[in-house]
């Protein structure tokens, strides 16, 4: 931009006229266009940090809306993994026995706890953009905040359902060990994986509305392809490579091993961590590339 053009642009932004003639007509094109960059730097992590208070308020709003006008309140959160554990225990306990030396109710619940949090977080974030269309079409802010808030709201549900896990460990006499300090690490990995899938699915859901119908079925298949209700040892060894490519395999098995103080499979945990980080970076990039069309699509 030349030196003679710069004052006129600044004047247009400030609403002042530097020339003798003043015009009341609007410009043909907007002076400032907000759109994601076409480079990897377009993730704009600094904008996310600046909008951290908005993330807090949206998360708190999602929590209040979820429990508003409910009879049992947070008890509904406990019912889902608890009743599922009871059903699986009734049908599979005699068939599988005590997998990995754990009582089957404890084994099933340690798989259902991270899985339920993951599945619910992905489902809630997939509809988050459509549910916040009034904000997206009126106010500019980092759109990535919306699915992030949907995932963050599920952490409270995870904390509530963890009370049942504490009761099961006390009932079955699980001894506290140092490895329990790694439980938050596996919760963090589950959160990052849910965020990665949530970003990707929410971006696709804004363009293709049938994603919301296919997602529950895909998550259902994913659960049975993960060692949630069965140990990895029952899978044929020729298919262990495919099981290892499932990031929830390393997370769930690591969560169980850390809880009961058993030796961790660091190779599986490392593979799951790498896959989670790759998915998170790719999903964030795809989300940013599609972000400029959200206001028109929803």
């Amino acid at each position: 931009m030349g030196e003679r053009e710069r004052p006129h642009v600044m004047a247009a932004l400030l609403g002042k006229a530097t020339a003798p003639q003043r015009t009341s007509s609007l410009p043909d094109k907007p002076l400032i266009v907000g759109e994601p960059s076409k480079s990897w730097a377009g993730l704009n992590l600094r904008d996310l940090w600046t909008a951290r208070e908005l993330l807090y308020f949206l998360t708190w709003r999602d929590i209040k809306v979820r429990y508003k006008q409910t009879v049992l309140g947070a008890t509904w959160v406990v019912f889902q993994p608890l009743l599922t554990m009871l059903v699986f225990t009734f049908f599979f306990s005699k068939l599988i026995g005590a997998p990995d030396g754990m009582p089957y109710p404890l084994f099933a619940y340690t798989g259902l706890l991270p899985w339920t949090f993951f599945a619910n977080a992905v489902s809630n974030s997939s509809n988050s953009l459509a549910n916040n269309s009034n904000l997206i079409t009126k106010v500019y802010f980092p759109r990535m905040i919306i699915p992030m808030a949907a995932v963050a709201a599920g952490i409270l549900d995870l904390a509530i359902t963890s009370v049942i896990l504490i009761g099961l460990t006390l009932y079955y006499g699980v001894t506290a060990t140092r490895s329990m300090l790694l439980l938050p690490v596996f919760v963090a990995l589950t959160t990052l994986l849910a965020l990665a899938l949530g970003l990707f699915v929410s971006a696709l859901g804004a363009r293709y509305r049938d994603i919301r119908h296919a997602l529950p079925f895909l998550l259902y298949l994913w659960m049975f392809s993960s060692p949630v209700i069965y140990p990895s040892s029952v899978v044929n060894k020729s298919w262990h490579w495919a099981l290892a490519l499932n990031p929830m395999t390393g997370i769930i098995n690591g969560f169980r091993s850390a809880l009961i103080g058993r030796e961790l499979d660091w190779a599986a945990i490392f593979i799951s961590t790498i896959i989670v980080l790759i998915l998170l970076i790719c999903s964030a990039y795809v989300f940013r590339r599609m972000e400029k069309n959200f206001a028109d699509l929803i």
Side-chain angles (χ1 to χ4, degrees):
M1 182 182 294
E3 294 294 334
R4 290 181 296 178
E5 297 177 2
R6 187 173 301 163
H8 297 287
V9 175
M10 295 300 298
L13 293 174
L14 297 175
K16 298 179 181 179
T18 58
Q21 297 180 350
R22 179 185 294 269
T23 176
S24 59
S25 61
L26 296 176
D28 296 334
K29 296 183 179 180
L31 298 175
I32 300 176
V33 178
E35 60 182 8
S37 172
K38 296 182 179 181
S39 63
W40 282 94
L43 293 179
N44 290 339
L45 299 180
R46 182 177 299 179
D47 290 349
L48 293 177
W49 175 252
T50 304
R52 60 188 182 277
E53 292 186 2
L54 178 61
L55 174 62
Y56 167 78
F57 286 115
L58 289 179
T59 302
W60 185 242
R61 184 206 60 177
D62 289 348
I63 293 174
K64 291 194 296 183
V65 169
R66 185 176 304 174
Y67 297 121
K68 187 177 181 181
Q69 294 181 341
T70 58
V71 177
L72 299 179
T75 309
W76 291 111
V77 179
V78 180
F79 278 169
Q80 182 179 1
L82 180 60
L83 294 180
T84 307
M85 181 266 291
L86 293 176
V87 171
F88 286 152
T89 299
F90 181 78
F91 286 102
F92 292 102
S93 59
K94 294 183 179 180
L95 179 63
I96 299 179
D100 297 334
M102 298 176 61
Y104 189 83
L106 181 61
F107 176 87
Y109 199 83
T110 51
L112 289 169
L113 183 65
W115 174 259
T116 303
F117 163 63
F118 167 75
N120 289 339
V122 174
S123 299
N124 293 333
S125 57
S126 66
N127 300 321
S128 59
L129 294 179
N131 295 337
N132 291 275
S133 59
N134 56 334
L135 291 177
I136 295 176
T137 55
K138 294 179 181 178
V139 182
Y140 174 76
F141 58 93
R143 311 305 193 202
M144 203 176 293
I145 292 291
I146 295 178
M148 289 176 65
V151 174
I155 297 178
L156 177 62
D157 298 344
L158 178 64
I160 296 173
T161 52
S162 297
V163 176
I164 302 298
L165 180 61
I166 296 174
L168 288 174
T169 56
L170 295 176
Y171 178 79
Y172 289 108
V174 176
T175 305
T177 60
R178 293 182 182 178
S179 60
M180 287 186 176
L181 297 176
L182 294 175
L183 292 177
V185 175
F186 296 108
V187 172
L189 284 176
T190 308
T191 304
L192 293 178
L193 181 60
L195 177 60
L197 270 296
L199 290 173
F200 182 74
V201 174
S202 62
L204 288 183
R207 181 179 294 273
Y208 307 106
R209 297 303 175 91
D210 50 352
I211 293 293
R212 68 185 64 180
H213 303 295
L215 184 60
F217 176 71
L218 295 176
L219 289 174
Y220 184 77
L221 292 180
W222 194 344
M223 185 188 73
F224 283 99
S225 62
S226 304
V228 176
I229 61 175
Y230 59 85
S232 301
S233 57
V234 302
V235 180
N236 193 298
K237 291 185 178 180
S238 60
W239 289 99
H240 277 196
W241 64 270
L243 195 64
L245 293 179
N246 179 0
M248 288 302 294
T249 298
I251 294 174
I252 293 175
N253 288 338
F255 189 88
R256 286 193 179 113
S257 298
L259 180 68
I260 64 176
R262 182 162 296 181
E263 184 178 357
L264 297 170
D265 187 355
W266 291 107
I269 296 172
F270 177 77
I271 293 174
S272 296
T273 303
I274 295 299
I275 294 176
V276 167
L277 294 179
I278 292 175
L279 288 176
L280 181 61
I281 294 174
C282 294
S283 298
Y285 181 68
V286 170
F287 188 93
R288 287 290 294 168
R289 295 284 289 180
M290 300 179 63
E291 182 181 12
K292 63 180 179 181
N293 299 321
F294 287 163
D296 297 328
L297 293 174
I298 63 176

